[in-house]
Amino acid sequence: MMPTPSEPVLPSRDDPLIRAGSEVAGGPAGRRIRFGPSGAWWNPVRVLILLAVVTFALGLLQKQPCYDGGWFGQGSQYSKACYSDMPHLFTGRGFADGKVPYFDTTGDPNMPYLEYPVITGGVMFFAGTLARAFGGDTHDQQLWFVTINSLIMMACAVVVVLAVARTSGRRFWDAAMVAAAPVLALNGIINWDLVAVAIAAVGMMAWARRNVVLAGVLIGLATAAKLYPVLLLGPLFLLCLRAGRLVDFGKTTAAALAAWLVVNLPVMIFAFDGWKLFYTFSQERGPDFGSFWLILTQRGTSMSVDSVNMWVSILLVLMAVGIAALALCARRRPRFAQLAFLIVAAFLLTNKVYSPQYVLWLLPLVVLARPRWRDVLIWQACEVIYFLGVWMYIESYAGPAGDHGKGLSQNAYHVMIAVHLIGILYIAALVVRDILRPEYDPVRRDGGDDPSGGVLEDAPDVFTLIPGDRAEFGAGPDYYSDQYDDKTYVPDVPGKVYK
């Protein structure tokens, strides 16, 4: 039978892929399973934490060839796919010399100041200070810098997993898709993106728990660590407009702006040249790794940086308008996580660069928007292919002497870019379908609304661009089969029961 509102949604009952796989271990959970047994040490929170730590630790193990010298010119950090920005920026941005980000110049004429937002710069400076205190020579300090940052990123990964679990309502086991993600292992310490991802994920959790001010504060802080979290305000505006909750949106936006200013203003006032570099660098850089703009320019299309910036803006605005139309015209109000994924995906699809670690921005959003193991694994397979492809492409021209030409050709790398773009588009297509046809949405198949919606959950619509009553189009529990015995499951095809 369908789980009651107080019971968790179990993957072995709900997800076709996990249900099929569970046959190896005795089949899906039965009708008489006990939820939350009293005194159990292995509760879901501890299981998810352990899974996230093990996954992240496997990623650190995968970087072992670089600890042994790949980062320092002994062997290839590209052919072993163990590259990280961390050891290189320790010396390249002045942390080895104790320089203060934004206030002191780096000594690099091509990058005179640190090109990261303020909170990320603060994390880097903190780790650099500890690395100099614990390490001996520069090489030793670099390894300490990576180790300290790795522990910080692991903690951030755990925070992301727990935030997704608590944002998912009764579907807290969906967070296992984040905790066990191959992209979390492979990309976790390439850069510092997990700091922003963690803060943004907790911000979404705060919104889901109806704390609109705290959600705004966290979104503002996440934007001070990486720019993309500010995009979350767009979906919130559309959904609050549709539900007549603009006062709540105003509180969230005001809190976000205040938090961002509290962190940024001191640096803006006393070190403006260093502070602004992140924003000017983003505008001045040309097409780079992972973007379809790179394919165009490498295949002979002549475009100036200003021209590319203009087209990036036009395409992003067009996609944003399409998402807005979808949000206001769909017969049932979309879920927050669905629109959040779509706008961040639109930003990455149109952006001039797609660094491998950017996949971490999408990871919690994909799981919240389309919580199906099959689809998440298909998308991650595309991203893993790209992860390997980008390093092999760089190996072809930047690897150790004598190894040039042993990596991927330019044409092959373009195929890898296309694979990762198709993976994002695949999830986006499924999410759009789920919005237009809520009966396909795994989260709404039992008649619920939006566990990530907070004040929006079950709120009536007051403004839409189409006539009709929201409830008329809901996918109620009677729409689906309630057969969840050992021989029956409900796949993603509505109205069908497979035996």
PDB file of all heavy atoms in Angstrom, residues 264-299:
ATOM      1  N   ASN A 264      30.649  41.362   1.888  1.00  0.00           N
ATOM      2  CA  ASN A 264      31.408  41.974   0.801  1.00  0.00           C
ATOM      3  C   ASN A 264      31.810  43.418   1.037  1.00  0.00           C
ATOM      4  O   ASN A 264      32.868  43.849   0.567  1.00  0.00           O
ATOM      5  CB  ASN A 264      30.596  41.893  -0.499  1.00  0.00           C
ATOM      6  CG  ASN A 264      30.672  40.529  -1.152  1.00  0.00           C
ATOM      7  OD1 ASN A 264      31.573  40.243  -1.929  1.00  0.00           O
ATOM      8  ND2 ASN A 264      29.718  39.679  -0.815  1.00  0.00           N
ATOM      9  N   LEU A 265      30.982  44.186   1.741  1.00  0.00           N
ATOM     10  CA  LEU A 265      31.254  45.620   1.873  1.00  0.00           C
ATOM     11  C   LEU A 265      32.623  45.947   2.453  1.00  0.00           C
ATOM     12  O   LEU A 265      33.323  46.836   1.936  1.00  0.00           O
ATOM     13  CB  LEU A 265      30.161  46.292   2.694  1.00  0.00           C
ATOM     14  CG  LEU A 265      28.992  46.911   1.906  1.00  0.00           C
ATOM     15  CD1 LEU A 265      27.985  47.533   2.858  1.00  0.00           C
ATOM     16  CD2 LEU A 265      29.502  47.954   0.917  1.00  0.00           C
ATOM     17  N   PRO A 266      33.069  45.284   3.527  1.00  0.00           N
ATOM     18  CA  PRO A 266      34.396  45.633   4.056  1.00  0.00           C
ATOM     19  C   PRO A 266      35.506  45.467   3.019  1.00  0.00           C
ATOM     20  O   PRO A 266      36.418  46.312   2.932  1.00  0.00           O
ATOM     21  CB  PRO A 266      34.577  44.652   5.225  1.00  0.00           C
ATOM     22  CG  PRO A 266      33.189  44.306   5.639  1.00  0.00           C
ATOM     23  CD  PRO A 266      32.399  44.275   4.369  1.00  0.00           C
ATOM     24  N   VAL A 267      35.433  44.405   2.226  1.00  0.00           N
ATOM     25  CA  VAL A 267      36.451  44.198   1.209  1.00  0.00           C
ATOM     26  C   VAL A 267      36.270  45.185   0.067  1.00  0.00           C
ATOM     27  O   VAL A 267      37.249  45.709  -0.489  1.00  0.00           O
ATOM     28  CB  VAL A 267      36.403  42.745   0.690  1.00  0.00           C
ATOM     29  CG1 VAL A 267      37.530  42.490  -0.317  1.00  0.00           C
ATOM     30  CG2 VAL A 267      36.498  41.763   1.846  1.00  0.00           C
ATOM     31  N   MET A 268      35.033  45.476  -0.306  1.00  0.00           N
ATOM     32  CA  MET A 268      34.772  46.457  -1.361  1.00  0.00           C
ATOM     33  C   MET A 268      35.339  47.821  -0.990  1.00  0.00           C
ATOM     34  O   MET A 268      35.917  48.528  -1.829  1.00  0.00           O
ATOM     35  CB  MET A 268      33.269  46.572  -1.608  1.00  0.00           C
ATOM     36  CG  MET A 268      32.629  45.354  -2.249  1.00  0.00           C
ATOM     37  SD  MET A 268      30.823  45.482  -2.284  1.00  0.00           S
ATOM     38  CE  MET A 268      30.598  46.891  -3.365  1.00  0.00           C
ATOM     39  N   ILE A 269      35.177  48.206   0.268  1.00  0.00           N
ATOM     40  CA  ILE A 269      35.600  49.542   0.707  1.00  0.00           C
ATOM     41  C   ILE A 269      37.119  49.654   0.789  1.00  0.00           C
ATOM     42  O   ILE A 269      37.718  50.636   0.338  1.00  0.00           O
ATOM     43  CB  ILE A 269      34.959  49.876   2.067  1.00  0.00           C
ATOM     44  CG1 ILE A 269      33.436  50.016   1.914  1.00  0.00           C
ATOM     45  CG2 ILE A 269      35.559  51.155   2.660  1.00  0.00           C
ATOM     46  CD1 ILE A 269      32.700  50.151   3.226  1.00  0.00           C
ATOM     47  N   PHE A 270      37.767  48.626   1.339  1.00  0.00           N
ATOM     48  CA  PHE A 270      39.197  48.741   1.626  1.00  0.00           C
ATOM     49  C   PHE A 270      40.097  48.063   0.604  1.00  0.00           C
ATOM     50  O   PHE A 270      41.313  48.254   0.626  1.00  0.00           O
ATOM     51  CB  PHE A 270      39.481  48.166   3.026  1.00  0.00           C
ATOM     52  CG  PHE A 270      38.805  48.907   4.130  1.00  0.00           C
ATOM     53  CD1 PHE A 270      37.716  48.359   4.793  1.00  0.00           C
ATOM     54  CD2 PHE A 270      39.247  50.172   4.499  1.00  0.00           C
ATOM     55  CE1 PHE A 270      37.078  49.038   5.814  1.00  0.00           C
ATOM     56  CE2 PHE A 270      38.614  50.870   5.527  1.00  0.00           C
ATOM     57  CZ  PHE A 270      37.523  50.306   6.183  1.00  0.00           C
ATOM     58  N   ALA A 271      39.518  47.254  -0.291  1.00  0.00           N
ATOM     59  CA  ALA A 271      40.350  46.576  -1.299  1.00  0.00           C
ATOM     60  C   ALA A 271      39.533  46.381  -2.573  1.00  0.00           C
ATOM     61  O   ALA A 271      39.379  45.271  -3.066  1.00  0.00           O
ATOM     62  CB  ALA A 271      40.853  45.242  -0.763  1.00  0.00           C
ATOM     63  N   PHE A 272      39.027  47.483  -3.107  1.00  0.00           N
ATOM     64  CA  PHE A 272      38.085  47.393  -4.225  1.00  0.00           C
ATOM     65  C   PHE A 272      38.706  46.751  -5.461  1.00  0.00           C
ATOM     66  O   PHE A 272      38.069  45.935  -6.131  1.00  0.00           O
ATOM     67  CB  PHE A 272      37.553  48.781  -4.580  1.00  0.00           C
ATOM     68  CG  PHE A 272      36.526  48.760  -5.670  1.00  0.00           C
ATOM     69  CD1 PHE A 272      35.226  48.345  -5.404  1.00  0.00           C
ATOM     70  CD2 PHE A 272      36.863  49.134  -6.968  1.00  0.00           C
ATOM     71  CE1 PHE A 272      34.272  48.313  -6.413  1.00  0.00           C
ATOM     72  CE2 PHE A 272      35.918  49.094  -7.975  1.00  0.00           C
ATOM     73  CZ  PHE A 272      34.610  48.686  -7.694  1.00  0.00           C
ATOM     74  N   ASP A 273      39.945  47.093  -5.764  1.00  0.00           N
ATOM     75  CA  ASP A 273      40.584  46.526  -6.959  1.00  0.00           C
ATOM     76  C   ASP A 273      40.680  45.008  -6.868  1.00  0.00           C
ATOM     77  O   ASP A 273      40.470  44.302  -7.867  1.00  0.00           O
ATOM     78  CB  ASP A 273      41.981  47.132  -7.148  1.00  0.00           C
ATOM     79  CG  ASP A 273      41.930  48.578  -7.603  1.00  0.00           C
ATOM     80  OD1 ASP A 273      40.859  48.995  -8.106  1.00  0.00           O
ATOM     81  OD2 ASP A 273      42.937  49.296  -7.446  1.00  0.00           O
ATOM     82  N   GLY A 274      41.026  44.498  -5.698  1.00  0.00           N
ATOM     83  CA  GLY A 274      41.096  43.057  -5.532  1.00  0.00           C
ATOM     84  C   GLY A 274      39.724  42.412  -5.523  1.00  0.00           C
ATOM     85  O   GLY A 274      39.520  41.332  -6.089  1.00  0.00           O
ATOM     86  N   TRP A 275      38.757  43.096  -4.907  1.00  0.00           N
ATOM     87  CA  TRP A 275      37.403  42.543  -4.817  1.00  0.00           C
ATOM     88  C   TRP A 275      36.748  42.402  -6.184  1.00  0.00           C
ATOM     89  O   TRP A 275      36.090  41.406  -6.483  1.00  0.00           O
ATOM     90  CB  TRP A 275      36.547  43.439  -3.921  1.00  0.00           C
ATOM     91  CG  TRP A 275      35.105  43.042  -3.892  1.00  0.00           C
ATOM     92  CD1 TRP A 275      34.512  42.108  -3.099  1.00  0.00           C
ATOM     93  CD2 TRP A 275      34.063  43.587  -4.711  1.00  0.00           C
ATOM     94  NE1 TRP A 275      33.163  42.023  -3.372  1.00  0.00           N
ATOM     95  CE2 TRP A 275      32.862  42.912  -4.362  1.00  0.00           C
ATOM     96  CE3 TRP A 275      34.023  44.562  -5.718  1.00  0.00           C
ATOM     97  CZ2 TRP A 275      31.640  43.207  -4.976  1.00  0.00           C
ATOM     98  CZ3 TRP A 275      32.807  44.842  -6.329  1.00  0.00           C
ATOM     99  CH2 TRP A 275      31.637  44.166  -5.955  1.00  0.00           C
ATOM    100  N   LYS A 276      36.927  43.383  -7.036  1.00  0.00           N
ATOM    101  CA  LYS A 276      36.190  43.410  -8.304  1.00  0.00           C
ATOM    102  C   LYS A 276      36.746  42.439  -9.339  1.00  0.00           C
ATOM    103  O   LYS A 276      36.094  42.185 -10.354  1.00  0.00           O
ATOM    104  CB  LYS A 276      36.190  44.822  -8.888  1.00  0.00           C
ATOM    105  CG  LYS A 276      37.536  45.264  -9.460  1.00  0.00           C
ATOM    106  CD  LYS A 276      37.455  46.631 -10.114  1.00  0.00           C
ATOM    107  CE  LYS A 276      38.804  47.020 -10.730  1.00  0.00           C
ATOM    108  NZ  LYS A 276      38.749  48.341 -11.398  1.00  0.00           N
ATOM    109  N   LEU A 277      37.958  41.890  -9.112  1.00  0.00           N
ATOM    110  CA  LEU A 277      38.587  41.070 -10.143  1.00  0.00           C
ATOM    111  C   LEU A 277      37.732  39.857 -10.511  1.00  0.00           C
ATOM    112  O   LEU A 277      37.659  39.473 -11.682  1.00  0.00           O
ATOM    113  CB  LEU A 277      39.977  40.610  -9.690  1.00  0.00           C
ATOM    114  CG  LEU A 277      40.751  39.767 -10.717  1.00  0.00           C
ATOM    115  CD1 LEU A 277      40.988  40.562 -11.998  1.00  0.00           C
ATOM    116  CD2 LEU A 277      42.070  39.280 -10.149  1.00  0.00           C
ATOM    117  N   PHE A 278      37.071  39.249  -9.526  1.00  0.00           N
ATOM    118  CA  PHE A 278      36.227  38.102  -9.827  1.00  0.00           C
ATOM    119  C   PHE A 278      35.187  38.453 -10.880  1.00  0.00           C
ATOM    120  O   PHE A 278      34.924  37.676 -11.801  1.00  0.00           O
ATOM    121  CB  PHE A 278      35.546  37.601  -8.549  1.00  0.00           C
ATOM    122  CG  PHE A 278      34.407  36.648  -8.806  1.00  0.00           C
ATOM    123  CD1 PHE A 278      34.649  35.369  -9.278  1.00  0.00           C
ATOM    124  CD2 PHE A 278      33.089  37.047  -8.588  1.00  0.00           C
ATOM    125  CE1 PHE A 278      33.599  34.486  -9.522  1.00  0.00           C
ATOM    126  CE2 PHE A 278      32.035  36.174  -8.828  1.00  0.00           C
ATOM    127  CZ  PHE A 278      32.294  34.893  -9.297  1.00  0.00           C
ATOM    128  N   TYR A 279      34.588  39.620 -10.749  1.00  0.00           N
ATOM    129  CA  TYR A 279      33.504  40.016 -11.646  1.00  0.00           C
ATOM    130  C   TYR A 279      34.043  40.473 -13.000  1.00  0.00           C
ATOM    131  O   TYR A 279      33.466  40.143 -14.045  1.00  0.00           O
ATOM    132  CB  TYR A 279      32.668  41.110 -10.983  1.00  0.00           C
ATOM    133  CG  TYR A 279      32.108  40.648  -9.657  1.00  0.00           C
ATOM    134  CD1 TYR A 279      32.767  40.921  -8.459  1.00  0.00           C
ATOM    135  CD2 TYR A 279      30.942  39.901  -9.595  1.00  0.00           C
ATOM    136  CE1 TYR A 279      32.276  40.485  -7.243  1.00  0.00           C
ATOM    137  CE2 TYR A 279      30.437  39.443  -8.377  1.00  0.00           C
ATOM    138  CZ  TYR A 279      31.113  39.738  -7.207  1.00  0.00           C
ATOM    139  OH  TYR A 279      30.627  39.271  -6.002  1.00  0.00           O
ATOM    140  N   THR A 280      35.138  41.203 -13.016  1.00  0.00           N
ATOM    141  CA  THR A 280      35.693  41.641 -14.301  1.00  0.00           C
ATOM    142  C   THR A 280      36.333  40.483 -15.052  1.00  0.00           C
ATOM    143  O   THR A 280      36.244  40.403 -16.282  1.00  0.00           O
ATOM    144  CB  THR A 280      36.728  42.758 -14.078  1.00  0.00           C
ATOM    145  OG1 THR A 280      37.778  42.278 -13.201  1.00  0.00           O
ATOM    146  CG2 THR A 280      36.081  43.979 -13.452  1.00  0.00           C
ATOM    147  N   PHE A 281      36.957  39.559 -14.315  1.00  0.00           N
ATOM    148  CA  PHE A 281      37.570  38.392 -14.957  1.00  0.00           C
ATOM    149  C   PHE A 281      36.525  37.549 -15.663  1.00  0.00           C
ATOM    150  O   PHE A 281      36.731  37.051 -16.773  1.00  0.00           O
ATOM    151  CB  PHE A 281      38.316  37.557 -13.914  1.00  0.00           C
ATOM    152  CG  PHE A 281      38.859  36.255 -14.437  1.00  0.00           C
ATOM    153  CD1 PHE A 281      39.886  36.232 -15.364  1.00  0.00           C
ATOM    154  CD2 PHE A 281      38.338  35.045 -13.995  1.00  0.00           C
ATOM    155  CE1 PHE A 281      40.390  35.033 -15.860  1.00  0.00           C
ATOM    156  CE2 PHE A 281      38.832  33.842 -14.476  1.00  0.00           C
ATOM    157  CZ  PHE A 281      39.854  33.844 -15.410  1.00  0.00           C
ATOM    158  N   SER A 282      35.365  37.381 -15.022  1.00  0.00           N
ATOM    159  CA  SER A 282      34.297  36.592 -15.629  1.00  0.00           C
ATOM    160  C   SER A 282      33.825  37.220 -16.933  1.00  0.00           C
ATOM    161  O   SER A 282      33.452  36.512 -17.877  1.00  0.00           O
ATOM    162  CB  SER A 282      33.130  36.451 -14.648  1.00  0.00           C
ATOM    163  OG  SER A 282      33.535  35.774 -13.475  1.00  0.00           O
ATOM    164  N   GLN A 283      33.828  38.547 -16.993  1.00  0.00           N
ATOM    165  CA  GLN A 283      33.389  39.229 -18.208  1.00  0.00           C
ATOM    166  C   GLN A 283      34.459  39.227 -19.296  1.00  0.00           C
ATOM    167  O   GLN A 283      34.145  39.133 -20.482  1.00  0.00           O
ATOM    168  CB  GLN A 283      33.018  40.682 -17.882  1.00  0.00           C
ATOM    169  CG  GLN A 283      31.692  40.834 -17.166  1.00  0.00           C
ATOM    170  CD  GLN A 283      30.521  40.399 -18.028  1.00  0.00           C
ATOM    171  OE1 GLN A 283      30.367  40.834 -19.159  1.00  0.00           O
ATOM    172  NE2 GLN A 283      29.693  39.511 -17.486  1.00  0.00           N
ATOM    173  N   GLU A 284      35.714  39.269 -18.893  1.00  0.00           N
ATOM    174  CA  GLU A 284      36.794  39.443 -19.869  1.00  0.00           C
ATOM    175  C   GLU A 284      37.315  38.137 -20.440  1.00  0.00           C
ATOM    176  O   GLU A 284      37.972  38.143 -21.493  1.00  0.00           O
ATOM    177  CB  GLU A 284      37.948  40.209 -19.211  1.00  0.00           C
ATOM    178  CG  GLU A 284      37.588  41.649 -18.851  1.00  0.00           C
ATOM    179  CD  GLU A 284      38.639  42.317 -17.997  1.00  0.00           C
ATOM    180  OE1 GLU A 284      39.655  41.615 -17.658  1.00  0.00           O
ATOM    181  OE2 GLU A 284      38.475  43.499 -17.644  1.00  0.00           O
ATOM    182  N   ARG A 285      37.036  37.001 -19.790  1.00  0.00           N
ATOM    183  CA  ARG A 285      37.551  35.732 -20.305  1.00  0.00           C
ATOM    184  C   ARG A 285      36.783  35.322 -21.553  1.00  0.00           C
ATOM    185  O   ARG A 285      35.604  35.608 -21.707  1.00  0.00           O
ATOM    186  CB  ARG A 285      37.465  34.644 -19.234  1.00  0.00           C
ATOM    187  CG  ARG A 285      36.082  34.120 -18.980  1.00  0.00           C
ATOM    188  CD  ARG A 285      36.014  33.174 -17.793  1.00  0.00           C
ATOM    189  NE  ARG A 285      36.932  32.065 -17.894  1.00  0.00           N
ATOM    190  CZ  ARG A 285      37.088  31.127 -16.957  1.00  0.00           C
ATOM    191  NH1 ARG A 285      36.370  31.202 -15.841  1.00  0.00           N
ATOM    192  NH2 ARG A 285      37.931  30.145 -17.119  1.00  0.00           N
ATOM    193  N   GLY A 286      37.463  34.610 -22.439  1.00  0.00           N
ATOM    194  CA  GLY A 286      36.830  34.139 -23.660  1.00  0.00           C
ATOM    195  C   GLY A 286      36.232  32.753 -23.484  1.00  0.00           C
ATOM    196  O   GLY A 286      36.210  32.199 -22.375  1.00  0.00           O
ATOM    197  N   PRO A 287      35.719  32.169 -24.566  1.00  0.00           N
ATOM    198  CA  PRO A 287      35.180  30.803 -24.493  1.00  0.00           C
ATOM    199  C   PRO A 287      36.227  29.836 -23.968  1.00  0.00           C
ATOM    200  O   PRO A 287      37.394  29.897 -24.355  1.00  0.00           O
ATOM    201  CB  PRO A 287      34.801  30.494 -25.943  1.00  0.00           C
ATOM    202  CG  PRO A 287      34.551  31.830 -26.554  1.00  0.00           C
ATOM    203  CD  PRO A 287      35.545  32.750 -25.907  1.00  0.00           C
ATOM    204  N   ASP A 288      35.817  28.945 -23.081  1.00  0.00           N
ATOM    205  CA  ASP A 288      36.780  28.078 -22.411  1.00  0.00           C
ATOM    206  C   ASP A 288      36.213  26.664 -22.328  1.00  0.00           C
ATOM    207  O   ASP A 288      35.164  26.355 -22.889  1.00  0.00           O
ATOM    208  CB  ASP A 288      37.096  28.636 -21.019  1.00  0.00           C
ATOM    209  CG  ASP A 288      38.531  28.360 -20.595  1.00  0.00           C
ATOM    210  OD1 ASP A 288      39.080  27.330 -21.028  1.00  0.00           O
ATOM    211  OD2 ASP A 288      39.093  29.160 -19.818  1.00  0.00           O
ATOM    212  N   PHE A 289      36.909  25.818 -21.571  1.00  0.00           N
ATOM    213  CA  PHE A 289      36.610  24.392 -21.518  1.00  0.00           C
ATOM    214  C   PHE A 289      35.128  24.104 -21.252  1.00  0.00           C
ATOM    215  O   PHE A 289      34.497  24.762 -20.430  1.00  0.00           O
ATOM    216  CB  PHE A 289      37.442  23.713 -20.429  1.00  0.00           C
ATOM    217  CG  PHE A 289      38.913  23.720 -20.704  1.00  0.00           C
ATOM    218  CD1 PHE A 289      39.787  24.388 -19.856  1.00  0.00           C
ATOM    219  CD2 PHE A 289      39.425  23.063 -21.809  1.00  0.00           C
ATOM    220  CE1 PHE A 289      41.146  24.390 -20.104  1.00  0.00           C
ATOM    221  CE2 PHE A 289      40.777  23.051 -22.056  1.00  0.00           C
ATOM    222  CZ  PHE A 289      41.648  23.719 -21.218  1.00  0.00           C
ATOM    223  N   GLY A 290      34.608  23.102 -21.933  1.00  0.00           N
ATOM    224  CA  GLY A 290      33.301  22.548 -21.631  1.00  0.00           C
ATOM    225  C   GLY A 290      32.108  23.261 -22.223  1.00  0.00           C
ATOM    226  O   GLY A 290      30.983  22.793 -22.059  1.00  0.00           O
ATOM    227  N   SER A 291      32.301  24.369 -22.911  1.00  0.00           N
ATOM    228  CA  SER A 291      31.171  25.128 -23.441  1.00  0.00           C
ATOM    229  C   SER A 291      31.031  24.913 -24.938  1.00  0.00           C
ATOM    230  O   SER A 291      32.009  24.642 -25.649  1.00  0.00           O
ATOM    231  CB  SER A 291      31.348  26.623 -23.156  1.00  0.00           C
ATOM    232  OG  SER A 291      32.385  27.164 -23.968  1.00  0.00           O
ATOM    233  N   PHE A 292      29.804  25.070 -25.438  1.00  0.00           N
ATOM    234  CA  PHE A 292      29.625  24.962 -26.883  1.00  0.00           C
ATOM    235  C   PHE A 292      30.230  26.154 -27.600  1.00  0.00           C
ATOM    236  O   PHE A 292      30.504  26.102 -28.794  1.00  0.00           O
ATOM    237  CB  PHE A 292      28.142  24.788 -27.241  1.00  0.00           C
ATOM    238  CG  PHE A 292      27.303  26.021 -27.103  1.00  0.00           C
ATOM    239  CD1 PHE A 292      27.155  26.895 -28.170  1.00  0.00           C
ATOM    240  CD2 PHE A 292      26.636  26.300 -25.925  1.00  0.00           C
ATOM    241  CE1 PHE A 292      26.368  28.029 -28.056  1.00  0.00           C
ATOM    242  CE2 PHE A 292      25.841  27.412 -25.804  1.00  0.00           C
ATOM    243  CZ  PHE A 292      25.709  28.292 -26.871  1.00  0.00           C
ATOM    244  N   TRP A 293      30.479  27.251 -26.849  1.00  0.00           N
ATOM    245  CA  TRP A 293      31.178  28.403 -27.449  1.00  0.00           C
ATOM    246  C   TRP A 293      32.599  28.014 -27.843  1.00  0.00           C
ATOM    247  O   TRP A 293      33.110  28.489 -28.861  1.00  0.00           O
ATOM    248  CB  TRP A 293      31.214  29.569 -26.456  1.00  0.00           C
ATOM    249  CG  TRP A 293      29.863  30.024 -26.020  1.00  0.00           C
ATOM    250  CD1 TRP A 293      29.272  29.821 -24.814  1.00  0.00           C
ATOM    251  CD2 TRP A 293      28.901  30.749 -26.806  1.00  0.00           C
ATOM    252  NE1 TRP A 293      28.020  30.367 -24.776  1.00  0.00           N
ATOM    253  CE2 TRP A 293      27.768  30.944 -25.981  1.00  0.00           C
ATOM    254  CE3 TRP A 293      28.908  31.257 -28.098  1.00  0.00           C
ATOM    255  CZ2 TRP A 293      26.637  31.637 -26.433  1.00  0.00           C
ATOM    256  CZ3 TRP A 293      27.787  31.936 -28.550  1.00  0.00           C
ATOM    257  CH2 TRP A 293      26.668  32.116 -27.726  1.00  0.00           C
ATOM    258  N   LEU A 294      33.244  27.160 -27.055  1.00  0.00           N
ATOM    259  CA  LEU A 294      34.585  26.700 -27.406  1.00  0.00           C
ATOM    260  C   LEU A 294      34.551  25.893 -28.692  1.00  0.00           C
ATOM    261  O   LEU A 294      35.438  26.021 -29.547  1.00  0.00           O
ATOM    262  CB  LEU A 294      35.170  25.863 -26.268  1.00  0.00           C
ATOM    263  CG  LEU A 294      36.605  25.359 -26.485  1.00  0.00           C
ATOM    264  CD1 LEU A 294      37.576  26.532 -26.487  1.00  0.00           C
ATOM    265  CD2 LEU A 294      36.999  24.355 -25.415  1.00  0.00           C
ATOM    266  N   ILE A 295      33.534  25.055 -28.843  1.00  0.00           N
ATOM    267  CA  ILE A 295      33.408  24.280 -30.083  1.00  0.00           C
ATOM    268  C   ILE A 295      33.291  25.228 -31.275  1.00  0.00           C
ATOM    269  O   ILE A 295      33.954  25.045 -32.311  1.00  0.00           O
ATOM    270  CB  ILE A 295      32.180  23.344 -30.016  1.00  0.00           C
ATOM    271  CG1 ILE A 295      32.362  22.308 -28.907  1.00  0.00           C
ATOM    272  CG2 ILE A 295      31.962  22.655 -31.356  1.00  0.00           C
ATOM    273  CD1 ILE A 295      31.171  21.389 -28.735  1.00  0.00           C
ATOM    274  N   LEU A 296      32.462  26.256 -31.143  1.00  0.00           N
ATOM    275  CA  LEU A 296      32.268  27.195 -32.251  1.00  0.00           C
ATOM    276  C   LEU A 296      33.567  27.902 -32.619  1.00  0.00           C
ATOM    277  O   LEU A 296      33.923  28.003 -33.799  1.00  0.00           O
ATOM    278  CB  LEU A 296      31.198  28.225 -31.878  1.00  0.00           C
ATOM    279  CG  LEU A 296      29.763  27.706 -31.725  1.00  0.00           C
ATOM    280  CD1 LEU A 296      28.841  28.848 -31.315  1.00  0.00           C
ATOM    281  CD2 LEU A 296      29.276  27.072 -33.019  1.00  0.00           C
ATOM    282  N   THR A 297      34.277  28.403 -31.609  1.00  0.00           N
ATOM    283  CA  THR A 297      35.500  29.157 -31.907  1.00  0.00           C
ATOM    284  C   THR A 297      36.610  28.250 -32.433  1.00  0.00           C
ATOM    285  O   THR A 297      37.365  28.647 -33.323  1.00  0.00           O
ATOM    286  CB  THR A 297      35.986  29.908 -30.658  1.00  0.00           C
ATOM    287  OG1 THR A 297      36.153  28.980 -29.578  1.00  0.00           O
ATOM    288  CG2 THR A 297      34.979  30.968 -30.237  1.00  0.00           C
ATOM    289  N   GLN A 298      36.716  27.035 -31.910  1.00  0.00           N
ATOM    290  CA  GLN A 298      37.759  26.127 -32.389  1.00  0.00           C
ATOM    291  C   GLN A 298      37.451  25.574 -33.774  1.00  0.00           C
ATOM    292  O   GLN A 298      38.337  25.037 -34.438  1.00  0.00           O
ATOM    293  CB  GLN A 298      37.964  24.981 -31.394  1.00  0.00           C
ATOM    294  CG  GLN A 298      38.647  25.416 -30.104  1.00  0.00           C
ATOM    295  CD  GLN A 298      38.985  24.256 -29.198  1.00  0.00           C
ATOM    296  OE1 GLN A 298      38.385  23.185 -29.268  1.00  0.00           O
ATOM    297  NE2 GLN A 298      39.966  24.463 -28.307  1.00  0.00           N
ATOM    298  N   ARG A 299      36.211  25.688 -34.201  1.00  0.00           N
ATOM    299  CA  ARG A 299      35.845  25.250 -35.548  1.00  0.00           C
ATOM    300  C   ARG A 299      35.748  26.405 -36.533  1.00  0.00           C
ATOM    301  O   ARG A 299      35.145  26.282 -37.599  1.00  0.00           O
ATOM    302  CB  ARG A 299      34.535  24.462 -35.504  1.00  0.00           C
ATOM    303  CG  ARG A 299      34.694  23.109 -34.840  1.00  0.00           C
ATOM    304  CD  ARG A 299      33.481  22.237 -34.976  1.00  0.00           C
ATOM    305  NE  ARG A 299      33.752  20.884 -34.484  1.00  0.00           N
ATOM    306  CZ  ARG A 299      34.319  19.907 -35.173  1.00  0.00           C
ATOM    307  NH1 ARG A 299      34.667  20.139 -36.445  1.00  0.00           N
ATOM    308  NH2 ARG A 299      34.545  18.722 -34.655  1.00  0.00           N
TER     309      ARG A 299
END
